[in-house]
Amino acid sequence: MTGTDIKGLGVSTKSADAVRSYERGLDLFLRWRTGALEALDAAAQSDSRFALAYCTKAYIAWRMGRADLATAAAHQATAVGDDVRDDRERLHVRAAAALQRGDHPATYDFLGQIAARYPTDRIAVRIIGLNCITQGDYRGGIDIARRSLEADPDEPQYLTMLGFFLEQSGYNDEGLAVSLRSLARDPTSLYTYHAVGHAYQARGDYRNALETFERAASLERYAHVLWHLAEAQALLGHERMTRDYWGSTTPPLPLYERIELLWRLEMLRGASTDAPTWRDLANQGERILREYADWQTTWMHHWLGVAFAKAGDWARAEQQAERLRTMPAGRASGHWSTVGVALLEGEMAVIRGDLETAARVMAPAIDELHSMGGGSREQKDIFRDVFMEVYRRLGRVERVIELAQQRLLANPHHAQSLAALAWAYEKNGNAPLQRQACRQLVQRAGEAGLCAEAPELAAARRVLQTAP
């Protein structure tokens, strides 16, 4: 005899306390709130043979990059697997067993089977949805969310998934509307605030993006939300605020997000970081690779490569590029084994001072950037920004104009692109278009909240103050 969860799915425990603690842990994880692992531990204390509680803990620890916790929980799940009487839970035990032996593709395969057969299985649907991001399969994410909503209409998790994947697929208005609907149903879900903030930032609505992420952070200082706040402040030229978020200790930002922020400040804001800091970040990366290399995503491996290059450890930087290059081809690696690795190779070329090589090797990846996996569209936009900066430093005026105009179609408040247009029109002697770009920069800077001391804003004002 088995019990059921709140969605009516069978679970192999008769303990009401175990089910309540399990539901609590799952709910906290799905809404990006702390305490999920502790609640799942409480579920196991209520029923030490409750396999699904161990499986779920393993998945969550896996997503946190905690290989030690994930493998331990997976071992506990398999140890009690013979007691499982529910078919769905048996598949979870098989997924956990694959996770324990480090066979992540098999884990995803089993979870995909669960999500297809049981579309209201919230943990399977969430983990498979996250893998869609890793693979760049946004259409697949939409399909999964819609299938789950057919089975469980108005469930906030599935609404948020649908909203996020619509936005990531370029349907910003539709995605924002769905995510706002989800937020109205659950106004304390950081996961949903995250989707809403993404949609605002994608369209260049930085004021609403910042307000959304700040409201989320007021509920709980979740690390990825703090990174979004830092990233938005960096885009707006607020270096000190960016570094304040970067230095957060409650909680600390993940290593790869800290590396990305410093690289953005250095490349796009001219705010360099001292060599000891880069060496410290590289040392932290070395420790992670020594213990948990196979548990890091392509995205994490990329940024570790940048840190090694900035620290002057070219051997390790090249090893990171080779690691990406030897990953499975195509969607299985989110295309990072092919065009994705070129992004790291291009950044390494920038660090070496070889801008011509950087422009050449990055070009195919930039053309296919939003079909790649790894991170969200907004997380990957840094590569477009760096690519445009490389061409500006090379003095390639027409290419800069082309790239800036493409960027502004999606985000009319992108200050770097407006400043790039002003620079390019000055270089080719087109004073009327230069003044027009400067006027747009000044106007949109006020709307977006660009730092009043930003160099590009000061330069634009000087141009406008000069009589035509």
Side-chain angles (χ1 to χ4, degrees):
M1 179 178 178
T2 62
T4 59
D5 66 11
I6 62 172
K7 299 297 183 181
L9 297 172
V11 292
S12 293
T13 181
K14 299 177 184 178
S15 169
D17 287 341
V19 173
R20 278 193 293 269
S21 294
Y22 169 76
E23 292 290 356
R24 173 68 174 162
L26 180 55
D27 178 71
L28 289 169
F29 169 69
L30 295 176
R31 294 165 58 248
W32 285 11
R33 308 304 297 266
T34 56
L37 296 183
E38 291 80 0
L40 292 169
D41 285 340
Q45 289 171 7
S46 296
D47 182 352
S48 62
R49 313 294 294 181
F50 187 11
L52 187 57
Y54 297 125
C55 293
T56 302
K57 180 179 178 180
Y59 305 145
I60 295 173
W62 178 27
R63 295 303 308 182
M64 294 168 59
R66 290 295 305 274
D68 52 342
L69 293 180
T71 54
H75 175 75
Q76 290 172 305
T78 57
V80 299
D82 290 343
D83 292 351
V84 172
R85 297 293 178 264
D86 180 79
D87 289 341
R88 178 179 67 105
E89 201 163 342
R90 286 194 187 96
L91 282 172
H92 274 293
V93 172
R94 295 178 71 183
L99 186 62
Q100 183 185 359
R101 63 178 181 265
D103 189 351
H104 298 167
T107 301
Y108 282 125
D109 181 63
F110 285 122
L111 289 172
Q113 293 179 43
I114 297 168
R117 290 174 56 185
Y118 306 95
T120 58
D121 185 309
R122 289 157 293 158
I123 188 64
V125 169
R126 173 63 67 84
I127 300 300
I128 288 298
L130 291 171
N131 194 42
C132 287
I133 299 172
T134 301
Q135 296 179 325
D137 185 12
Y138 305 123
R139 180 69 251 180
I142 291 173
D143 292 342
I144 292 169
R146 289 196 188 280
R147 187 168 62 244
S148 292
L149 282 170
E150 288 177 4
D152 191 1
D154 296 326
E155 162 62 37
Q157 179 196 177
Y158 307 145
L159 285 171
T160 301
M161 281 183 63
L162 178 59
F164 178 77
F165 280 116
L166 284 170
E167 181 265 313
Q168 292 292 296
S169 300
Y171 301 101
N172 189 289
D173 292 345
E174 297 88 341
L176 178 58
V178 173
S179 294
L180 287 171
R181 178 182 162 197
S182 180
L183 191 61
R185 296 186 64 82
D186 184 1
T188 62
S189 172
L190 304 192
Y191 172 62
T192 307
Y193 277 109
H194 172 256
V196 171
H198 259 283
Y200 282 134
Q201 182 170 319
R203 61 174 61 187
D205 187 347
Y206 292 108
R207 291 192 183 278
N208 270 320
L210 284 169
E211 181 185 357
T212 299
F213 290 127
E214 286 166 354
R215 284 168 61 197
S218 72
L219 294 171
E220 186 174 317
R221 288 176 61 84
Y222 190 81
H224 189 59
V225 169
L226 297 183
W227 174 81
H228 269 289
L229 284 167
E231 178 80 348
Q233 296 294 358
L235 283 163
L236 294 172
H238 297 284
E239 179 189 351
R240 182 170 180 176
M241 293 184 70
T242 302
R243 292 190 185 276
D244 282 347
Y245 284 118
W246 181 90
S248 170
T249 57
T250 53
L253 270 61
L255 176 61
Y256 63 95
E257 291 186 339
R258 298 174 72 213
I259 294 167
E260 185 275 342
L261 286 171
L262 293 187
W263 180 239
R264 175 176 283 283
L265 287 176
E266 182 164 312
M267 273 298 296
L268 306 172
R269 283 291 162 196
S272 61
T273 297
D274 59 66
T277 298
W278 281 115
R279 283 196 296 271
D280 178 60
L281 293 171
N283 289 338
Q284 293 179 50
E286 183 180 350
R287 288 194 295 272
I288 288 174
L289 293 177
R290 187 166 54 244
E291 298 177 12
Y292 306 123
D294 292 337
W295 293 75
Q296 307 306 304
T297 67
T298 52
W299 190 251
M300 298 171 186
H301 281 299
H302 173 94
W303 290 114
L304 294 179
V306 171
F308 289 139
K310 283 298 301 177
D313 190 343
W314 291 104
R316 289 194 181 279
E318 293 288 354
Q319 287 175 4
Q320 288 303 100
E322 184 61 23
R323 175 183 290 273
L324 294 174
R325 192 177 293 110
T326 57
M327 285 183 170
R331 179 160 284 172
S333 66
H335 303 284
W336 279 77
S337 62
T338 51
V339 292
V341 69
L343 296 171
L344 177 55
E345 292 173 332
E347 287 167 316
M348 290 164 60
V350 170
I351 294 168
R352 289 191 176 104
D354 186 356
L355 297 181
E356 290 283 359
T357 296
R360 175 176 54 80
V361 301
M362 291 180 75
I366 297 301
D367 288 342
E368 300 182 41
L369 189 60
H370 288 323
S371 67
M372 289 171 53
S376 66
R377 293 170 65 98
E378 291 69 48
Q379 284 175 300
K380 290 180 290 188
D381 275 342
I382 185 174
F383 303 123
R384 300 177 67 186
D385 296 344
V386 167
F387 189 62
M388 183 167 63
E389 175 63 15
V390 166
Y391 271 102
R392 191 193 66 79
R393 293 182 186 184
L394 287 169
R396 308 287 173 76
V397 172
E398 295 306 318
R399 185 65 167 135
V400 169
I401 292 173
E402 177 188 3
L403 293 169
Q405 288 176 338
Q406 290 175 359
R407 193 82 164 83
L408 290 167
L409 284 174
N411 180 354
H413 292 92
H414 190 243
Q416 181 194 354
S417 292
L418 290 167
L421 286 179
W423 169 85
Y425 293 138
E426 179 187 19
K427 289 296 182 182
N428 66 15
N430 194 329
L433 285 181
Q434 180 194 9
R435 291 180 63 82
Q436 180 179 338
C438 289
R439 278 195 300 272
Q440 289 181 343
L441 177 55
V442 171
Q443 176 186 344
R444 293 174 184 174
E447 296 169 353
L450 185 69
C451 177
E453 290 77 38
E456 64 268 36
L457 184 55
R461 285 173 173 155
R462 285 195 297 271
V463 170
L464 296 176
Q465 290 168 357
T466 302

